[in-house]
């Protein structure tokens, strides 16, 4: 029986992956920083999205031998356009965002969210890096992982009940994000009754505690863990991009053990303090 583990290790996940024993992890649930969306200590701030993809591939390659043969990997990853994305505080006067289309509050995170100042990748680039192109980073990552030992087992669409309005733009407004399921073999554990549906609808949540701009709702990792079909303290859940520790709280709710990796010391410390005080909200698996 695996000793209870509920904590976040501070450091680079590429290095911390070596601290895990081979064949010890049941479920990896994670949402890496999206490329070009914010300033962060680690991934997502690369000038070249190809460097970003190479880094993520190396992280998940490192984690592959740590995953049990029956284990699974869930990745939630948003895409990016090869265009400037930096709203400034002053831009709220011109925004068509908001229900009445007269702009959001100037204090809304659409304007105050800290992002790395960047332009389009290379304006003279062609192909998939052409200016204005939706880069397809999530699927590029999945295809690369398939070339490095993983099986692509399925995709869930997270339909957001409260997506961020995108203003006036010549493209569909994004109201969803993908969640990809990968494994080492086709004999992985998975709940078959009731079957896991491919569309999940739930809202974003208000972040509690240390402010984290890219926190996913607890419902997301909860559903990913539940889908494993096997729960308990001996089930180890890992999030290599732990952020505010949301996956850890979901694991606790389902009586599973948790280890997170987080490069930002502020978030790592806050997560550990919150996990110590957290009272699991036990729920019956669906």
């Amino acid at each position: 029986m695996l000793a209870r583990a509920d904590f976040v290790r501070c450091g680079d996940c590429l290095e911390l992956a070596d601290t895990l024993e081979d064949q010890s992890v049941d479920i990896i649930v994670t949402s890496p920083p999206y490329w070009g969306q914010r300033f962060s200590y680690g991934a997502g701030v690369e000038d070249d999205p190809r460097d970003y993809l190479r880094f993520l591939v190396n992280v998940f390659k490192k984690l592959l031998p740590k995953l049990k043969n029956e284990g699974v990997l869930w990745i939630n990853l948003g895409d990016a356009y090869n265009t400037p994305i930096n709203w400034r505080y002053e831009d709220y006067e011109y925004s068509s965002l908001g229900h009445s289309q007269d702009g959001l509050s100037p204090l809304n995170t659409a304007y105050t969210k800290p992002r790395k100042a960047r332009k389009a990748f290379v304006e003279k680039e062609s192909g998939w890096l052409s200016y204005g192109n939706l880069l397809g980073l999530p699927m590029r990552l999945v295809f690369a992982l398939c070339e490095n030992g993983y099986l692509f087992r399925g995709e869930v669409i997270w339909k957001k009940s409260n997506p961020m309005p995108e203003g006036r733009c010549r493209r569909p407004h994004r109201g969803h994000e993908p969640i990809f399921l990968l494994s080492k073999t086709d004999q992985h554990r998975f709940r078959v009754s009731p079957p896991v549906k491919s569309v999940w609808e739930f809202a974003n949540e208000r972040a509690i505690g240390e402010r984290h701009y890219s926190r996913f709702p607890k419902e997301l990792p909860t559903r990913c863990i539940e889908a494993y079909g096997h729960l308990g303290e001996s089930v180890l859940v890992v999030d290599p991009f732990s952020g505010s520790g949301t996956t850890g709280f979901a694991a606790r709710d389902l009586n599973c053990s948790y280890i997170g990796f987080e490069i930002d010391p502020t978030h790592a410390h806050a997560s550990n303090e919150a996990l110590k005080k957290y009272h699991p909200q036990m729920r019956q698996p669906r």
Side-chain angles (χ1 to χ4, degrees):
M1 178 74 70
L2 180 71
R4 184 89 210 189
D6 297 305
F7 59 89
V8 176
R9 291 173 177 153
C10 185
D12 188 331
C13 59
L14 198 56
E15 299 173 359
L16 291 176
D18 291 328
T19 66
L20 297 170
E21 295 181 5
D22 288 353
Q23 294 271 346
S24 65
V25 180
D26 292 271
I27 308 167
I28 301 172
V29 183
T30 194
S31 183
Y34 301 174
W35 180 72
Q37 300 299 302
R38 64 186 176 95
F39 176 80
S40 68
Y41 277 78
V45 299
E46 299 87 350
D47 291 330
D48 189 329
R50 290 169 290 196
D51 292 334
Y52 169 73
L53 289 173
R54 276 190 284 269
F55 172 76
L56 292 183
V57 170
N58 286 334
V59 169
F60 293 115
K61 282 173 61 178
K62 269 284 192 78
L63 290 169
L64 184 60
K66 313 303 179 182
L67 199 63
K68 294 179 180 178
N69 286 337
E70 64 267 28
V72 295
L73 163 65
W74 290 97
I75 304 175
N76 165 227
L77 189 64
D79 212 342
Y81 284 87
N82 196 29
T83 53
I85 50 85
N86 294 317
W87 286 98
R88 299 169 302 166
Y89 173 85
E90 296 83 2
D91 292 335
Y92 81 91
E93 297 180 358
Y94 311 103
S95 173
S96 61
L97 297 174
H99 293 297
S100 59
Q101 298 186 344
D102 56 359
L104 301 173
S105 160
L107 299 181
N108 190 280
T109 57
Y111 311 111
T112 62
K113 184 177 181 180
R115 299 175 170 100
K116 182 182 180 184
R118 72 170 180 86
K119 306 188 291 186
F121 167 52
V122 177
E123 293 184 22
K124 295 182 180 179
E125 192 63 72
S126 59
W128 71 275
L129 288 169
S130 298
Y131 181 86
N133 199 44
L134 182 61
L135 298 177
L137 297 176
M139 290 308 303
R140 292 180 193 280
L141 173 62
V142 169
F143 294 154
L145 293 181
C146 290
E147 298 297 327
N148 285 278
Y150 283 94
L151 292 180
F152 180 25
R153 297 292 292 157
E155 176 185 6
V156 167
I157 297 300
W158 168 23
K159 181 182 178 182
K160 299 182 180 182
S161 302
N162 57 344
M164 172 66 77
E166 296 195 56
R168 297 173 183 172
C169 49
R170 293 183 299 276
R171 54 177 173 76
H173 286 208
R174 292 171 289 184
H176 76 283
E177 287 187 15
I179 312 169
F180 301 108
L181 174 66
L182 299 102
S183 66
K184 295 175 78 170
T185 78
D186 64 348
Q187 298 300 307
H188 60 85
R189 287 184 182 270
F190 205 70
R191 192 187 78 219
V192 296
S193 181
V196 177
K197 302 297 185 180
S198 62
V199 178
W200 299 347
E201 182 173 2
F202 49 86
N204 271 310
E205 300 169 339
R206 181 180 178 183
I208 299 174
E210 183 67 30
R211 193 168 194 181
H212 190 281
Y213 290 94
S214 301
R215 176 179 179 269
F216 57 20
K218 189 171 65 170
E219 184 68 15
L220 190 155
T222 297
R223 294 196 186 196
C224 292
I225 297 168
E226 283 181 333
Y228 194 53
H230 178 64
L231 304 173
E233 290 189 11
S234 64
V235 174
L236 177 58
V237 179
V238 169
D239 187 343
F241 300 96
S242 185
S244 57
T246 306
T247 301
F249 303 132
R252 289 288 308 278
D253 287 350
L254 295 168
N255 195 33
C256 296
S257 298
Y258 176 70
I259 296 176
F261 302 150
E262 175 53 43
I263 198 169
D264 186 325
T266 301
H267 290 308
H269 175 74
S271 296
N272 280 322
E273 291 302 305
L275 283 168
K276 290 177 187 176
K277 303 172 184 176
Y278 187 67
H279 297 290
Q281 302 169 18
M282 297 298 184
R283 67 186 240 178
Q284 293 296 320
R286 58 184 77 232

